Amino acid sequence: IFQLAGLAVIAFGLWLRFGGAMADFASDKKSPEYFFMGLYVLVGTGAVMTTVGFFGCCGAARESQCLLGAFFACLLVIFAAEVTAGVFAFIGKKVAIQEAQKIYEDVYDDYMKNPGGKVNRTIYRYHLALQCCGKDNVEQQMGLPCPENIQMPKASNCLAEIQNVIDADLRLVGIVGIAIAGIAIFGMIFSMVLCCAIRNTRDMI
């Protein structure tokens, strides 16, 4: 279960990093570091969970108290990391939103000063990923490279859409973090129960 959960967490973190709407911001020279740091912690935790699951299986199969104790210690570290990441995501959400909005505003201003070229492709990529166009009102869409068939009213406010995307992504990260913390708690309980059972069995022998 831990190995499968770890692989699922890695896949989820990599999908948010490279496959979601925010992936386009990562391809720019500037990127919302607060947001991506949380994803890196998530992927790292998934990798540790996969490794720890292997130790847990070996410890249970070989009835090794040492391996089970190491399994418990690793789960405790994972639990602490998830709590820290959750607090970090909650505190840093506002900063992450401001960073992503600032990146879009910089690209928007660059396009207004000199339409065309690389800036044109960059701002269109953002509009396509977020399905929006402009910052404040419909009038600002005039002359902007906007995707076809975007829906109103969100089409006229990319800043609000950036906030919605980051809010939704961080909510998913929070849900995954809580699930991992819950699994870690059960894992610690079961590892200690198994460790005590092995000790009692050996004492009886």
Side-chain angles (χ1 to χ4, degrees):
I1 290 174
F2 270 91
Q3 287 177 316
L4 292 175
L7 292 174
V9 170
I10 292 174
F12 176 72
L14 292 177
W15 174 75
L16 286 180
R17 175 62 177 79
F18 297 105
M22 292 301 296
D24 287 296
F25 283 85
S27 62
D28 198 61
K29 292 182 179 179
K30 299 178 182 179
S31 61
E33 293 298 327
Y34 267 79
F35 178 78
F36 292 118
M37 282 174 65
L39 297 185
Y40 297 147
V41 171
L42 193 68
V43 172
T45 302
V48 173
M49 281 184 66
T50 304
T51 306
V52 168
F54 175 76
F55 285 118
C57 290
C58 290
R62 299 166 73 78
E63 296 186 353
S64 171
Q65 290 179 289
C66 181
L67 284 176
L68 288 173
F71 180 68
F72 177 88
C74 291
L75 288 182
L76 188 61
V77 171
I78 290 174
F79 179 78
E82 287 303 314
V83 172
T84 303
V87 173
F88 180 80
F90 178 77
I91 295 175
K93 181 174 72 171
K94 185 176 180 180
V95 178
I97 291 172
Q98 290 175 345
E99 285 183 346
Q101 289 177 336
K102 180 66 165 57
I103 292 171
Y104 176 79
E105 287 183 314
D106 289 343
V107 174
Y108 180 90
D109 293 339
D110 290 342
Y111 176 83
M112 288 302 180
K113 292 177 183 177
N114 184 23
K118 185 178 179 181
V119 178
N120 188 314
R121 293 192 298 272
T122 301
I123 195 170
Y124 177 76
R125 191 175 68 243
Y126 290 165
H127 288 163
L128 186 63
L130 296 168
Q131 283 298 295
C132 63
C133 190
K135 294 196 299 182
D136 299 313
N137 50 56
V138 178
E139 286 74 15
Q140 287 186 342
Q141 294 182 26
M142 300 300 295
L144 286 174
C146 301
E148 297 180 358
N149 301 323
I150 53 176
Q151 297 180 357
M152 299 295 287
K154 81 172 186 177
S156 61
N157 198 334
C158 284
L159 300 183
E161 191 59 23
I162 289 171
Q163 180 174 345
N164 294 336
V165 168
I166 293 181
D167 276 335
D169 286 351
L170 288 181
R171 191 178 300 114
L172 288 175
V173 171
I175 292 172
V176 172
I178 292 172
I180 293 173
I183 293 173
I185 290 174
F186 280 108
M188 287 188 287
I189 294 173
F190 291 145
S191 64
M192 284 296 97
V193 170
L194 184 57
C195 193
C196 292
I198 292 171
R199 183 186 304 164
N200 293 335
T201 302
R202 290 178 178 175
D203 290 342
M204 290 176 62
I205 296 174

